[in-house]
Amino acid sequence: GRWGYQVLVAESAPAALTKLTRSRCTPNAIIADYRLRDGFTGADAIGYVRKGLGRQVPGLILTGDTEPARLAEASASGFELLHKPIEAHRLQDAIERLLGSSLR
């Protein structure tokens, strides 16, 4: 928010989709943590929201996980992967890349 973006925070992909639908808002980007509740991943969440909106919204995944198998899974998702803790300028750069890709 301090960087001038409108931010929607949700505890799950279904909650995010509900909030987006109710607000009639279409996101320019989705940022998701890799490990989510109930065995879901950030890639699952991004896919769920994309499907619900019927739009290929750019996404990126954040993770603090260091287990090689989890990192390989996250990398294989096709989404940019950033490791926590992340420096603010690196996150902002990644968001700018995402927003740039949504304009193409």
Side-chain angles (χ1 to χ4, degrees):
R2 289 182 289 162
W3 295 336
Y5 304 121
Q6 183 179 359
V7 178
L8 180 142
V9 178
E11 291 188 18
S12 67
L17 187 57
T18 297
K19 286 182 175 186
L20 289 167
T21 303
R22 285 184 181 156
S23 68
R24 297 187 179 143
C25 181
T26 301
N28 292 31
I30 302 169
I31 301 171
D33 199 350
Y34 183 68
R35 295 181 93 180
L36 302 172
R37 293 181 185 165
D38 301 322
F40 290 99
T41 67
D44 296 333
I46 294 167
Y48 182 92
V49 172
R50 284 175 161 184
K51 183 177 180 180
L53 295 174
R55 182 167 172 254
Q56 290 297 310
V57 180
L60 76 85
I61 296 174
L62 303 176
T63 188
D65 204 325
T66 58
E67 184 179 327
R70 297 292 82 74
L71 294 177
E73 288 173 10
S75 293
S77 72
F79 297 108
E80 182 173 357
L81 179 65
L82 298 176
H83 298 274
K84 298 186 286 184
I86 183 167
E87 296 171 353
H89 73 276
R90 289 192 62 227
L91 178 58
Q92 192 169 24
D93 289 347
I95 292 169
E96 290 298 322
R97 283 192 300 277
L98 276 182
L99 295 177
S101 72
S102 70
L103 299 176
R104 292 184 205 147

